[in-house]
Amino acid sequence: MAYQYLKLKIENGVGWIQFHRPDKLNAMNREVSLELEAVLSDWQPDDAVKVVVITGSQKAFVAGGDIPPLSPAGPPEGFHLA
């Protein structure tokens, strides 16, 4: 599966996940969360992945939540969007 916001590689038993939303300092949104969940689910049964390292690209690991998509929602809706 191709991922829009994550760069992946498996090397010597290490699964590398790099957040890659440089225009937003890797801020988390629903799409990033779903991609991360999918990768971890796919790698869990994979014997080639013994450990997972998660990093960020550019200047930030993860700048936090991507606020603009959440701002029109109230607390209950915002929780489900994040």
Side-chain angles (χ1 to χ4, degrees):
M1 176 177 182
Y3 296 95
Q4 183 176 356
Y5 300 116
L6 302 176
K7 292 185 176 185
L8 310 174
K9 82 176 168 183
I10 299 172
E11 186 175 79
N12 299 323
V14 179
W16 293 87
I17 301 173
Q18 181 184 53
F19 290 111
H20 188 69
R21 281 189 82 201
D23 57 319
K24 300 287 186 180
L25 291 176
N26 303 323
M28 294 291 287
N29 63 12
R30 185 71 178 149
E31 291 81 15
V32 175
S33 296
L34 291 172
E35 286 188 9
L36 182 60
E37 185 177 323
V39 171
L40 294 174
S41 292
D42 288 346
W43 284 0
Q44 184 179 10
D46 190 340
D47 290 337
V49 180
K50 307 289 186 212
V51 66
V52 175
V53 177
I54 302 175
T55 67
S57 63
Q58 306 293 327
K59 301 177 198 176
F61 171 66
V62 172
D66 195 359
I67 301 302
L70 299 176
S71 60
E77 298 85 12
F79 175 79
H80 293 289
L81 291 173

